Amino acid sequence: MTHSHDSSTHEHTDWKHDGVRVVPGDQLDGNVPSTPGMDRKAAINFARVGAQKLWAGTVHIHPNAKTGAHHHGPLESVIYVVKGRARMRWGNALEFTAEAGPGDFIYVPPFVPHQEINASADETLECVLCRSDGQAVAVNMDIEPAEKPETVLWIDPTHPQGGV
């Protein structure tokens, strides 16, 4: 597959001010839609760097803390666990659960009600978030969680059980 890189389209672009941006980790923006139980901060979004199709930032969840139930509207979300142990609950009654640790990725489809839980009693859960739009969307929900969530292990469709 060939890609056309027509430089004439961008020849008048001011790459110095409209090119690559570095957002220092100590300059993230905490003024983003909030969900009880977590500290979200934006690094990359429309307001900060002009991102049209993605939002990226961090989230910290204190030991033994859990967020309120929420969803992110039509956006897809990816959560990368940097430090700690994440327990995700999801479903109409938050009846399903799975856990992730450092180096793991979590995918949350659009409109899925979910809750993030720090499964550790003594370590802050630190994650990087990416969403499929330049604006943050967080819709908090009033859901009573199920007493005993069902654990669901993800099976990679490209590597079925027993396959290599």
Side-chain angles (χ1 to χ4, degrees), residues 131-142:
R131 296 216 181 87
S132 60
D133 192 85
Q135 301 292 337
V137 174
V139 179
N140 295 322
M141 306 173 73
D142 187 15

Side-chain angles (χ1 to χ4, degrees), residues 57-118:
T58 61
V59 64
H60 292 106
I61 302 175
H62 302 289
N64 279 332
K66 59 185 178 182
T67 70
H70 61 284
H71 68 77
H72 301 287
L75 307 185
E76 293 179 290
S77 298
V78 173
I79 303 167
Y80 175 76
V81 180
V82 175
K83 180 181 174 188
R85 190 92 193 139
R87 180 177 302 125
M88 296 293 292
R89 293 183 73 169
W90 73 93
N92 289 329
L94 303 177
E95 66 270 31
F96 306 111
T97 186
E99 290 198 8
D104 292 342
F105 287 84
I106 301 165
Y107 170 69
V108 182
F111 297 104
V112 173
H114 63 281
Q115 172 186 45
E116 290 98 343
I117 299 168
N118 184 340

Side-chain angles (χ1 to χ4, degrees), residues 19 29-30 39 54 61 111 155:
D29 182 8
D39 300 322
L54 59 86
I61 302 175
F111 297 104
I155 298 172

Side-chain angles (χ1 to χ4, degrees), residues 22-32 39-45 48 55-60 127-129:
V22 174
V23 178
D26 62 354
Q27 294 180 24
L28 303 187
D29 182 8
N31 188 23
V32 296
D39 300 322
R40 249 190 224 120
K41 292 186 178 179
I44 306 297
N45 60 18
R48 301 196 86 205
W55 182 100
T58 61
V59 64
H60 292 106
C127 301
V128 173
L129 303 176

